Amino acid sequence: MLLRGALRRLTLHRTVVTPTALRAFASKSREVPALTCDRYPVQRGSFAELTDADVAVFRGILGGPDSSRVITAEDEVQNYNIDYLRSVRGYGRVVVKPRTTAEVAELMRYCNERRLAVCPQGGNTGLVGGSVPVFDEVVLSLQLMDTIERIDEYAGIVVCQAGCVLASLEEQVGARGLVMPLDLGAKGSCHIGGNVSTNAGGLRLVRYGNLHGSVLGVEAVTAEGRVLDLMSNFKKDNTGYHLKHLFIGSEGTLGIITRLSMFCPTASRSVNVAFLGLNSYDDVKRTFLAAKRGLGEVLSSCEMIDAPSLDSCTRFFGLQSPIEKYPFYMLIETSGSDAGHDEEKLTRFLEQTMEQGLVVDGTVTNEPTKMKV
């Protein structure tokens, strides 16, 4: 039901855009971008060049000469050479797809001995070109490392491989009454290992902080093929050095994260989302401060969208804004355990910000189907 006390009800265009549809944006047949090395003044390092003998070794590591986990067909490899925005492109000739940490270690050990450059790749949803080769690097894809090993609903911990898709993890932990501490627009295709490697923030950072506080442990493989077991299954672990923090946000420069354990908070029973229109950036800042003070412990997300960004999204995906046009918009989410208490706090907050002239218009819902529109 819509909360009516503070805001008038506005009709929301019910066109649902699934994560798969969003991800298809990058895979549509469009113009192939120029090579990164031709567009930018970058120079290839003194690495070896890939040979057929190297490919044969990769096949041996990953199941034999007929292994489908070593991709060399040019049209298939190109999908791994181009980034999500189709703005940069490498010219790697092979993609390898390990299933275990041991296979990653063996591949890295061989590449290190041969001085073959490697580009680790997760869901390839990054927007800055960091997940694709710059030159002819070997692409090491973690797509097949997607096993959820354990979900402990008592401790609130999930242990999984790095190739698990964020949306799949969210679904599985949600079935146990838990919630992933991060939420991203690319969750339908991004990998949890890539999220940790880039220290992704996401929509829930206001509530749960960054991943340094949520990741309990990692398993990683270094460039020379050494496996580092930095796993932990305890939220309160105050023993020794916490080397896991070096890998969170290191973007693969120190090693490839292959497994991890993460703390998942208890899922909230009451969730409300408000989409608001504002006239100035100063109003956005003042509304954010008012939200932190007025909503307190139930504030779980607070995002700003400017008019050009919203217009680009609505035009490209054929959507309609739920409210009239304004220079700025805010998306505010509350999460708690008492629906009546949460709705009362949100209503009071919205009434006050509208009376102060900070919020001009908006719509509010607690219906899950409308939150995903």
Side-chain angles (χ1 to χ4, degrees):
M1 109 187 166
L2 288 175
L3 300 177
R4 305 172 187 271
L7 302 171
R8 62 184 179 85
R9 179 171 181 172
L10 294 168
T11 303
L12 189 64
H13 191 268
R14 298 194 177 194
T15 302
V16 178
V17 181
T18 64
T20 302
L22 291 173
R23 186 65 185 92
F25 169 67
S27 59
K28 289 181 179 179
S29 179
R30 293 182 290 135
E31 184 178 351
V32 175
L35 289 172
T36 304
C37 61
D38 291 339
R39 291 183 58 190
Y40 300 99
V42 290
Q43 186 174 354
R44 187 181 185 277
S46 57
F47 297 103
E49 294 190 6
L50 186 77
T51 66
D52 291 340
D54 296 323
V55 175
V57 172
F58 294 155
R59 294 190 186 280
I61 294 173
L62 299 181
D66 298 323
S67 176
S68 61
R69 295 191 285 145
V70 179
I71 301 173
T72 56
E74 185 176 347
D75 57 336
E76 294 183 60
V77 173
Q78 179 160 282
N79 294 328
Y80 298 85
N81 274 316
I82 301 175
D83 73 320
Y84 176 74
L85 292 180
R86 302 183 72 85
S87 60
V88 292
R89 175 168 65 99
Y91 54 95
R93 293 172 46 203
V94 64
V95 179
V96 293
K97 293 186 171 184
R99 284 200 179 100
T100 66
T101 299
E103 289 180 342
V104 174
E106 194 168 354
L107 288 167
M108 293 303 295
R109 193 175 301 117
Y110 176 79
C111 289
N112 183 62
E113 292 171 354
R114 275 278 292 123
R115 289 194 58 79
L116 292 170
V118 176
C119 174
Q121 187 177 102
N124 195 16
T125 60
L127 303 180
V128 294
S131 58
V132 295
V134 176
F135 295 99
D136 56 343
E137 295 95 311
V138 174
V139 178
L140 193 152
S141 171
L142 300 172
Q143 286 180 341
L144 301 183
M145 298 186 66
D146 58 354
T147 300
I148 301 176
E149 299 178 9
R150 181 166 61 89
I151 299 175
D152 186 338
E153 58 189 290
Y154 297 101
I157 295 172
V158 60
V159 179
C160 63
Q161 287 185 304
C164 288
V165 174
L166 179 57
S168 299
L169 283 173
E170 187 176 69
E171 180 181 356
Q172 293 300 316
V173 302
R176 305 291 186 91
L178 305 172
V179 65
M180 292 297 291
L182 76 161
D183 186 17
L184 305 170
K187 65 183 177 182
S189 51
C190 67
H191 294 182
I192 190 64
N195 299 151
V196 174
S197 294
T198 57
N199 194 20
L203 303 178
R204 294 174 180 155
L205 186 134
V206 170
R207 168 67 69 87
Y208 302 118
N210 65 28
L211 293 178
H212 282 282
S214 298
V215 175
L216 305 181
V218 301
E219 181 179 78
V221 177
T222 63
E224 69 271 21
R226 178 195 293 184
V227 177
L228 299 180
D229 184 354
L230 307 174
M231 293 290 286
S232 174
N233 295 327
F234 299 99
K235 175 65 174 174
K236 186 180 180 180
D237 185 354
N238 55 7
T239 58
Y241 298 106
H242 285 228
L243 298 179
K244 65 182 182 184
H245 292 296
L246 294 176
F247 290 89
I248 300 172
S250 66
E251 302 186 18
T253 56
L254 299 180
I256 301 172
I257 295 176
T258 54
R259 294 173 64 236
L260 59 97
S261 58
M262 181 174 288
F263 176 70
C264 298
T266 302
S268 301
R269 294 198 297 267
S270 168
V271 179
N272 299 284
V273 172
F275 188 75
L276 313 174
L278 305 94
N279 281 326
S280 70
Y281 181 63
D282 189 58
D283 289 342
V284 170
K285 292 191 295 181
R286 292 170 62 191
T287 301
F288 174 53
L289 188 60
K292 290 197 293 182
R293 291 173 175 172
L295 298 175
E297 77 287 352
V298 300
L299 178 63
S300 55
S301 180
C302 188
E303 299 286 325
M304 183 205 80
I305 312 166
D306 60 21
S309 298
L310 184 66
D311 183 59
S312 296
C313 293
T314 53
R315 282 190 296 103
F316 186 87
F317 293 111
L319 299 174
Q320 178 180 319
S321 172
I323 63 176
E324 299 299 324
K325 290 188 176 182
Y326 293 94
F328 294 92
Y329 305 89
M330 291 186 73
L331 186 71
I332 294 178
E333 179 190 75
T334 64
S335 303
S337 58
D338 187 326
H341 169 266
D342 297 349
E343 290 179 11
E344 181 181 350
K345 292 194 74 169
L346 181 58
T347 300
R348 186 166 58 247
F349 158 73
L350 293 172
E351 288 176 341
Q352 291 173 351
T353 52
M354 293 185 79
E355 289 173 359
Q356 295 168 13
L358 301 177
V359 174
V360 183
D361 196 3
T363 185
V364 184
T365 186
N366 57 11
E367 296 182 28
T369 55
K370 291 183 178 179
M371 294 178 192
K372 296 179 181 180
V373 172

